Amino acid sequence: MMNLQNNALMTSAAISGMGIAYVPSLYAEAALQSGQLVELLADWRVQSAGMALWFPPNQHQSMALRLFIDALKISLPRQS
């Protein structure tokens, strides 16, 4: 979760005028749409297939894994 917090923190810092942030577009989308941020170097944007969580399909999901998956679904921004 550390990286998720860093992305949110870097986005907030950029909105506050503290510098440039290189974060996944999910974190900056609202600020870009509202005009709080502007995109720089759009030609250098990295395309991503998104995130994936891999686990053995032949095993019963433990409660810990199920809770982890549910927590990720809640805490990660949705891609449109």
Side-chain angles (χ1 to χ4, degrees), residues 69-78:
I69 292 168
D70 291 345
L72 284 177
K73 287 180 178 179
I74 290 169
S75 65
L76 291 175
R78 293 277 179 200

Side-chain angles (χ1 to χ4, degrees), residues 59-75:
Q59 295 180 3
H60 176 71
Q61 280 186 1
S62 69
M63 180 59 73
L65 177 59
R66 184 73 252 154
L67 291 172
F68 178 69
I69 292 168
D70 291 345
L72 284 177
K73 287 180 178 179
I74 290 169
S75 65

Side-chain angles (χ1 to χ4, degrees), residues 28-46:
E29 187 174 6
L32 288 167
Q33 289 178 357
S34 71
Q36 292 177 291
L37 292 177
V38 295
E39 184 175 9
L40 302 175
L41 304 172
D43 293 340
W44 293 89
R45 185 181 312 141
V46 176

Side-chain angles (χ1 to χ4, degrees), residues 5-29:
Q5 293 170 351
N6 288 344
N7 287 327
L9 181 61
M10 289 191 324
T11 302
S12 294
I15 291 170
S16 298
M18 298 178 73
I20 297 171
Y22 181 66
V23 297
S25 60
L26 299 171
Y27 292 91
E29 187 174 6

